[in-house]
Amino acid sequence: MCLGIPGQITRIISARERRAEVAINGVRREVNIACIADAEHPAESCVGDWVLVHVGFAMSRISAEEAALTLDVLTQLGEAQLEMDRMRESGRTGPMA
């Protein structure tokens, strides 16, 4: 299973090499935008786009609404994981009575 993390393209590093900077939850990373840049949507026009990032590649463009929803779900999953970890550490493994 692959997990794409929403990020917003903040600047183009190299249009020729199709490299851009993406802000992912406040952290900036360099990504390859070859999968989303083409003749109809050139690299220069990608600034501001929301994309799904996986292993250093912007895999697809998404709406701002979809990005917000996905980030919310990922936050909830992270919180659930933390709670499960706390339960394991305290020895509680089954439903609470």
Side-chain angles (χ1 to χ4, degrees):
M1 178 173 88
C2 298
L3 178 64
I5 306 295
Q8 188 173 32
I9 297 176
T10 56
R11 71 183 178 101
I12 302 303
I13 295 169
S14 171
R16 185 178 63 76
E17 295 175 2
R18 296 190 175 174
R19 294 184 302 123
E21 180 182 81
V22 175
I24 301 174
N25 222 17
V27 177
R28 296 184 186 275
R29 296 279 186 245
E30 184 176 321
V31 298
N32 183 299
I33 58 171
C35 295
I36 63 160
D38 56 28
E40 293 177 18
H41 196 80
E44 296 85 353
S45 68
C46 292
V47 174
D49 286 354
W50 282 93
V51 294
L52 284 178
V53 177
H54 178 66
V55 296
F57 288 85
M59 302 303 290
S60 62
R61 281 187 294 281
I62 59 174
S63 69
E65 294 79 20
E66 186 176 357
L69 178 64
T70 303
L71 286 169
D72 185 51
V73 168
L74 290 172
T75 298
Q76 290 175 29
L77 287 171
E79 290 169 358
Q81 183 64 50
L82 285 173
E83 183 59 28
M84 289 189 319
D85 291 345
R86 285 187 202 113
M87 288 171 57
R88 280 188 198 98
E89 289 170 5
S90 69
R92 293 181 301 186
T93 57
M96 295 182 64

